[in-house]
Amino acid sequence: ALVDLLTAVDEPMVFPVHPRTRHKLEGAGLWDELAGHAPLRLVPPVGYLDFTSLLLTARGVPFIYYGEEIGMRHHPMRLAEGRDPVARRYGYVPDWIAHRLSSSGILLNRDECRRPMQWDDGRHGGFSNGDAEPWLSVHPETSVRNVRAQTGDPASILGVYRSLLGLRKGLPALRHGRLELQPESALPRDVLGYRRMTSDAHETVDVLLNFGRRSRRVELTEHEDRAVLRTGSGVTLESAHNVNVR
């Protein structure tokens, strides 16, 4: 599945896409597999902005769990600190075992992904004012990873989210259009490509996502000599028919 490809850092990620994931991409959408109120905050170690681009340009209703728009990360929490009924039920489990289970995707304390939203670098991360203590402790990275720190920076994760949401709002093809995967033979390894198109073919959007670490060249038969959006180092257009995806 695509989630397995996104999190596989020991081996190079190679498409073709898994048949079930291909069906999801072309059909109802991937939102139920890529995001949601999951027990672990999914922050792929490679290609986070490409992951975000996939979530907001594929078919389906994108689900953004609070904090994902700034790259809010998962952080362990002692079972004794949790307010979650599951954490209290398994409070007798030693923390080292709970942390080992968490690394395998089995979370006994769901409050680990429910820490207060990181608004700024102030007291309690701006979640509450004055002496009002939030129900859970803030994330240790709150001082450097917060909304205020990323506001106004178009290259930040928050800036990319806002740009992608703006594109999705302004382009009907990204909201209602059908999705056609680019032929696997036309794409280099690590690159996922698909076309969103309205039913009357009046609007077409090509999406190219490079989940690898190296720049890849893609040849397109129909392409205007411009880039609509760049994430990270982005997409470099060398000519009307060749693009370098980084």
Side-chain angles (χ1 to χ4, degrees):
L2 186 58
V3 172
D4 296 325
L5 292 173
L6 293 179
T7 56
V9 293
D10 296 331
E11 298 292 336
M13 290 181 286
V14 181
F15 293 93
V17 180
H18 189 280
R20 182 167 65 89
T21 304
R22 174 179 290 272
H23 170 73
K24 285 281 187 177
L25 273 168
E26 295 178 332
L30 275 172
W31 64 270
D32 57 333
E33 294 193 12
L34 296 183
H37 189 190
L40 290 172
R41 286 187 176 274
L42 179 60
V43 180
V46 176
Y48 181 72
L49 294 181
D50 288 307
F51 166 84
T52 300
S53 301
L54 173 64
L55 176 68
L56 297 177
T57 59
R59 282 178 57 84
V61 179
F63 189 105
I64 303 173
Y65 188 46
Y66 81 95
E68 288 178 347
E69 69 275 26
I70 60 171
M72 191 170 169
R73 300 174 182 271
H74 196 88
H75 187 73
M77 176 185 295
R78 295 178 59 247
L79 290 173
E81 298 177 31
R83 305 292 184 89
D84 180 19
V86 177
R88 297 193 175 191
R89 181 186 308 168
Y90 293 101
Y92 61 88
V93 177
D95 284 327
W96 71 269
I97 294 181
H99 293 162
R100 180 69 63 86
L101 291 173
S102 176
S103 65
S104 301
I106 303 174
L107 201 61
L108 301 184
N109 186 1
R110 296 175 297 180
D111 283 340
E112 290 184 4
C113 71
R114 298 170 176 170
R115 293 180 184 272
M117 179 63 185
Q118 300 162 201
W119 293 105
D120 55 41
D121 59 355
R123 180 176 173 81
H124 307 315
F127 181 82
S128 57
N129 297 323
D131 297 328
E133 293 284 338
W135 79 103
L136 296 172
S137 59
V138 299
H139 195 287
E141 292 185 350
T142 299
S143 61
V144 294
R145 188 182 301 275
N146 57 72
V147 174
R148 177 180 293 174
Q150 297 187 24
T151 297
D153 180 5
S156 68
I157 296 177
L158 179 62
V160 171
Y161 262 93
R162 286 174 170 169
S163 296
L164 285 169
L165 288 171
L167 280 179
R168 187 179 181 90
K169 181 178 180 180
L171 299 175
L174 292 180
R175 301 194 309 274
H176 312 298
R178 66 179 185 271
L179 185 148
E180 298 176 357
L181 282 171
Q182 298 284 357
E184 296 166 6
S185 59
L187 298 173
R189 59 188 298 136
D190 304 333
V191 174
L192 173 66
Y194 49 90
R195 172 169 291 181
R196 300 297 307 277
M197 184 184 303
T198 54
S199 58
D200 58 3
H202 177 70
E203 184 176 84
T204 299
V205 178
D206 286 316
V207 180
L208 296 170
L209 304 173
N210 182 4
F211 291 98
R213 294 180 174 88
R214 296 182 179 179
S215 174
R216 300 292 185 183
R217 175 173 294 185
V218 179
E219 294 185 2
L220 299 177
T221 57
E222 299 177 4
H223 182 70
E224 293 185 3
D225 194 11
R226 66 187 179 90
V228 176
L229 176 69
R230 297 177 56 170
T231 60
S233 57
V235 179
T236 301
L237 305 186
E238 293 190 337
S239 70
H241 302 291
N242 293 286
V243 300
N244 278 352
V245 190
R246 299 177 180 175

